[in-house]
Amino acid sequence: MSSHSKVDKISFAGLLIALGIIYGDIGTSPLYVFKAIVGTNSISSDLILGSLSCIIWTLTLQTTIKYVILTLHADNNGEGGIFSLYALIRRYGKFMVYPAMVGGVALIADGIITPPISVVSAVEGLQLLPGMHGISDNTIVIIVVFILSILFFAQQFGTEYIGKAFGPIMFIWFLLLAILGIQHIQDNYNILKAFNPVYAIRLLTSGGGKGFWILGAVFLCTTGAEALYSDLGHCGRRNIRLTWMFVKSCLIFNYLGQGAWLLNQEGKLIDFSTVNPFYSLMSPSFLVIGILIATMAAIIASQALISGSFTLIGEAMRLNLWPKLKIVFPTKEKGQIYIPYINYLLWAGCICVVFYFRKSSNMEAAYGLSICVCMIMTSILFAYYLRVKRFAWVYVGLYLLVYLSIEFSFLIANLVKFFHGGYITLIVGSLLFVVTFVWYRARKIKNRYVEFAELETYLAPLEQLSRDQGVPKYATHLAYMASANIPNQIEYKILHSIFNRKPKRADIYWFVHLDTLDQPYGQSYKVITYKKNDVYRIDFKIGFRVQPRVDLFFRQVIEDLKKTEEISFDNKYETVLNKNIIGDYRFIVIEKFLSNDNELPFFERLVMRVYFLLRHANISEEKSFGLDANNVRVEKFPLVISTLSCDTSLIRKT
């Protein structure tokens, strides 16, 4: 049975895992959604019933139908997420890389505000405890900074063990949501009218369209929907769909309870900057336990988003959309990675958000703008996926009409948040987009000017050099990382490295090509023999979630070829052969630098300058390929683009 089918099989463990790692963000939304909706508005039955109706139908249309029913079908060998979706369609539409980049960076930018708003909303419950009304905002900020700092510090150790507790804790959390909601629905049964979408339409069109802007707060109820798709590989489609039925029921019960409580407050003067409708559902004697459970749920929500950001950046690196960064595998758990640089970046961003906004009510006014952009990009990519799967244009058009209308409505309503702090996530997202765009575009520019030669022309010279005893031997196996996709071609820079200046004699020359598959997992190789015992090419194909280990792969290939007698060391190293040793090997990695002799257009020259600036944060080429530093030599080669003309008449013999 494949790992995909095992993950997708419904099981008690799978259901618990799904509860623990998928629903943190959307599951903690009851902490702040109604608080954001009410805000400074006066409580009225039209506001409460209309906004609750918007919540119910948003969870139904946006989360249930779009993500749980439709988008989960875009299954990339069991993996999901915006980059997995892009990998499914990139061979059919190269331009789809731009929606993928925009959506990916928007999701990462969202990662700097989701942990703060979840944890702050939970910890602010302390101010509701008897005798704790005097607890200051500064104290809340210190507690939140401490919790987040511990959380980010713990990332380097992995979450293999603590992750096992996430499911039961979130199960308790959702049960708590349902119980609290059901208890308070009886406060005012009129709240059940909210299931009628007429109340939502009436609110959105009220006040000459002023009610439309309430969508900015309503959108907070579905911000975690993207995680349902991103974590497809961890839980499986069927486990997600089954648990979502439970989660959605618990969420709606709680929203109904909050709504009923709010209906009973109509006409009362309540300061919702200090009162949270969610905690108002709890009895004073239960508040301590409720705050503790809510805080744990908020921490789990933050953990899920942090882990998701690592996975997202790792996929972007494999797809050549992000600089290569150091990746650590803290546990043996499949797919769990830790990227120190991104961890520090997210931690710094979250701490700055906490100090800048300080209160959850301020964060609510800025939250949701970037994730709305991500959802729009997912809709565009999924529509293209439907066309690739040969769905009729009428269905694709209907999908786009419905969901782009919904999501652009949310986006327009969220734009008012720009001046309330939404600009922070948009600025962060824009900076991240510059990184992805430059990295992608610079690679295209470089590839445009790479010079290739026919390898067949150089086979005889390579054989002669291999047998030339007058040239000191450089290595038994000399391997070059080659970028040529066509097997019978070789980059000029590699030939320059072998033959020019000091020739490099080796018993066997290897040209190693690494190709990233559109599938997340899988490893295979193919060996092409150009001249037996002299020149070979190896094509490695690995999934975009697989960490390259070229050094290990290469040695395994040599061992395999030796066992099948496709390679030998006859008349070269008899002693080595008798000792069953494959001999020494050396990898050559050639890095390019932009020559001053170029005439690039201004925009492309700017892109290349930023690219080479980003290279300083990039890990070395040998590390990105998974090569042993002891067996690697890095050489520099100038990237000369449109060589500048030189007036030779100005040169005089002296």
Side-chain angles (χ1 to χ4, degrees):
M1 183 182 292
S2 67
S3 59
H4 174 202
S5 59
K6 287 180 181 178
V7 169
D8 200 33
K9 183 179 179 180
I10 294 178
S11 65
F12 179 74
L15 296 175
L16 269 184
I17 291 172
L19 284 176
I21 68 175
I22 292 180
Y23 302 108
D25 189 1
I26 201 168
T28 53
S29 58
L31 285 167
Y32 46 79
V33 170
F34 253 125
K35 186 180 176 185
I37 289 173
V38 177
T40 57
N41 296 312
S42 58
I43 299 177
S44 67
S45 59
D46 288 341
L47 173 65
I48 303 305
L49 290 174
S51 58
L52 180 55
S53 183
C54 288
I55 290 172
I56 292 171
W57 287 100
T58 296
L59 290 174
T60 301
L61 294 174
Q62 187 71 10
T63 312
T64 304
I65 297 178
K66 178 188 172 181
Y67 283 97
V68 177
I69 295 178
L70 296 177
T71 311
L72 285 184
H73 277 293
D75 180 339
N76 191 340
N77 280 4
E79 297 295 331
I82 195 163
F83 285 135
S84 291
L85 179 55
Y86 162 66
L88 281 172
I89 62 176
R90 64 172 177 168
R91 70 177 67 179
Y92 307 101
K94 301 293 184 184
F95 57 92
M96 284 291 111
V97 67
Y98 296 107
M101 287 193 294
V102 172
V105 299
L107 195 56
I108 297 170
D110 180 64
I112 70 167
I113 197 168
T114 298
I117 191 174
S118 298
V119 178
V120 170
S121 297
V123 175
E124 280 179 344
L126 292 174
Q127 295 176 321
L128 304 176
L129 292 174
M132 299 288 284
H133 296 286
I135 188 171
S136 66
D137 292 337
N138 289 336
T139 303
I140 296 294
V141 167
I142 292 171
I143 294 173
V144 171
V145 168
F146 177 76
I147 291 174
L148 291 177
S149 297
I150 293 296
L151 180 63
F152 279 100
F153 175 76
Q155 297 305 308
Q156 61 188 304
F157 305 110
T159 57
E160 183 176 12
Y161 299 107
I162 192 174
K164 294 177 180 178
F166 285 0
I169 292 174
M170 292 305 293
F171 178 71
I172 293 172
W173 167 250
F174 286 117
L175 276 183
L176 176 63
L177 292 182
I179 292 170
L180 289 174
I182 292 171
Q183 284 180 339
H184 284 271
I185 290 176
Q186 60 186 343
D187 291 350
N188 196 324
Y189 286 111
N190 285 328
I191 199 65
L192 297 177
K193 295 178 181 179
F195 283 99
N196 187 342
V198 170
Y199 287 92
I201 297 170
R202 185 183 299 170
L203 175 65
L204 297 179
T205 56
S206 64
K210 290 183 180 179
F212 171 82
W213 303 104
I214 205 74
L215 283 178
V218 170
F219 181 71
L220 299 179
C221 76
T222 189
T223 51
E226 194 73 28
L228 297 175
Y229 181 42
S230 298
D231 287 312
L232 174 61
H234 291 99
C235 308
R237 184 188 303 121
R238 288 186 286 180
N239 286 316
I240 292 174
R241 286 177 173 168
L242 190 57
T243 51
W244 172 242
M245 294 168 61
F246 166 71
V247 169
K248 183 184 177 184
S249 300
C250 294
L251 289 173
I252 290 180
F253 278 135
N254 193 264
Y255 285 126
L256 287 170
Q258 290 189 48
W261 181 85
L262 285 166
L263 280 180
N264 283 352
Q265 312 309 311
E266 189 172 2
K268 298 180 182 178
L269 293 176
I270 299 176
D271 182 7
F272 282 97
S273 63
T274 58
V275 174
N276 190 325
F278 172 76
Y279 284 119
S280 298
L281 302 184
M282 299 181 186
S283 63
S285 60
F286 186 76
L287 262 179
V288 174
I289 298 175
I291 292 169
L292 181 62
I293 297 174
T295 302
M296 288 191 293
I299 292 172
I300 292 172
S302 304
Q303 172 61 55
L305 192 138
I306 295 167
S307 300
S309 297
F310 293 155
T311 301
L312 204 63
I313 292 293
E315 291 177 355
M317 286 191 283
R318 297 281 84 79
L319 294 169
N320 291 307
L321 299 177
W322 193 269
K324 300 296 188 294
L325 302 175
K326 180 181 179 182
I327 294 180
V328 178
F329 297 86
T331 68
K332 295 180 180 179
E333 189 174 338
K334 181 181 178 182
Q336 185 176 118
I337 63 175
Y338 167 66
I339 306 177
Y341 187 86
I342 299 300
N343 192 57
Y344 301 144
L345 182 68
L346 287 175
W347 173 80
C350 289
I351 298 304
C352 289
V353 164
V354 172
F355 279 115
Y356 182 77
F357 290 107
R358 302 181 67 80
K359 300 176 70 174
S360 63
S361 56
N362 297 331
M363 296 179 193
E364 292 154 10
Y367 186 39
L369 187 53
S370 61
I371 196 65
C372 191
V373 173
C374 177
M375 289 183 172
I376 291 173
M377 298 303 111
T378 300
S379 294
I380 294 172
L381 290 168
F382 185 71
Y384 197 85
Y385 168 81
L386 292 178
R387 280 303 299 153
V388 169
K389 292 297 182 180
R390 302 187 183 280
F391 278 78
W393 274 111
V394 63
Y395 297 116
V396 178
L398 181 62
Y399 172 85
L400 285 174
L401 177 64
V402 171
Y403 284 102
L404 290 186
S405 297
I406 293 173
E407 287 158 358
F408 270 105
S409 297
F410 279 128
L411 179 63
I412 293 170
N414 272 298
L415 285 177
V416 298
K417 298 182 177 183
F418 180 84
F419 298 105
H420 297 283
Y423 61 86
I424 292 178
T425 53
L426 286 187
I427 289 173
V428 171
S430 298
L431 292 174
L432 295 176
F433 178 76
V434 168
V435 174
T436 57
F437 175 80
V438 166
W439 203 257
Y440 172 79
R441 184 64 181 159
R443 185 167 173 266
K444 294 295 182 183
I445 295 172
K446 287 194 305 176
N447 290 344
R448 212 165 62 216
Y449 295 100
V450 172
E451 296 180 73
F452 294 99
E454 293 296 324
L455 182 57
E456 188 176 353
T457 309
Y458 293 89
L459 291 179
L462 285 170
E463 184 181 14
Q464 292 171 6
L465 178 58
S466 176
R467 286 161 173 70
D468 189 346
Q469 300 297 321
V471 178
K473 191 167 78 167
Y474 189 78
T476 301
H477 302 275
L478 183 57
Y480 283 87
M481 296 304 301
S483 61
N485 292 319
I486 302 175
N488 61 349
Q489 289 186 344
I490 189 71
E491 297 99 302
Y492 172 75
K493 64 181 182 180
I494 293 178
L495 298 173
H496 181 275
S497 172
I498 295 175
F499 292 108
N500 285 23
R501 296 182 182 176
K502 188 177 180 180
K504 297 181 179 67
R505 181 168 72 90
D507 290 340
I508 302 177
Y509 294 95
W510 301 85
F511 303 118
V512 181
H513 179 70
L514 187 64
D515 190 23
T516 303
L517 298 171
D518 292 336
Q519 292 78 32
Y521 299 104
Q523 299 168 224
S524 64
Y525 73 85
K526 177 184 178 182
V527 177
I528 300 174
T529 303
Y530 295 112
K531 226 169 189 28
K532 188 173 181 180
N533 293 327
D534 285 307
V535 185
Y536 294 86
R537 172 181 166 118
I538 308 176
D539 285 316
F540 289 113
K541 295 183 182 294
I542 64 172
F544 63 82
R545 281 195 174 184
V546 176
Q547 182 73 359
R549 292 284 189 270
V550 174
D551 192 283
L552 182 64
F553 298 162
F554 178 74
R555 279 188 280 181
Q556 184 61 54
V557 169
I558 294 179
E559 291 284 1
D560 291 347
L561 293 176
K562 188 177 176 183
K563 288 177 183 176
T564 57
E565 298 183 351
E566 294 179 59
I567 186 174
S568 68
F569 299 96
D570 293 341
N571 303 319
K572 292 182 180 180
Y573 285 104
E574 291 294 338
T575 339
V576 172
L577 181 64
N578 292 338
K579 290 183 179 180
N580 198 31
I581 300 174
I582 64 174
D584 64 294
Y585 61 96
R586 177 66 72 88
F587 274 91
I588 303 291
V589 175
I590 302 177
E591 291 183 352
K592 290 183 178 180
F593 64 91
L594 187 63
S595 168
N596 291 326
D597 299 327
N598 67 81
E599 291 180 336
L600 277 176
F602 171 77
F603 179 71
E604 291 190 348
R605 187 163 63 249
L606 181 63
V607 167
M608 294 306 295
R609 285 180 178 175
V610 176
Y611 168 77
F612 283 107
L613 185 64
L614 291 173
R615 284 279 296 269
H616 292 295
N618 191 45
I619 63 172
S620 62
E621 291 283 345
E622 61 268 26
K623 288 183 179 179
S624 69
F625 287 123
L627 299 172
D628 185 348
N630 294 323
N631 301 320
V632 178
R633 177 180 173 183
V634 179
E635 296 182 351
K636 303 289 185 181
F637 188 82
L639 181 62
V640 181
I641 301 173
S642 301
T643 306
L644 292 168
S645 59
C646 179
D647 188 353
T648 56
S649 64
L650 298 177
I651 302 175
R652 295 288 184 269
K653 182 178 180 181
T654 59

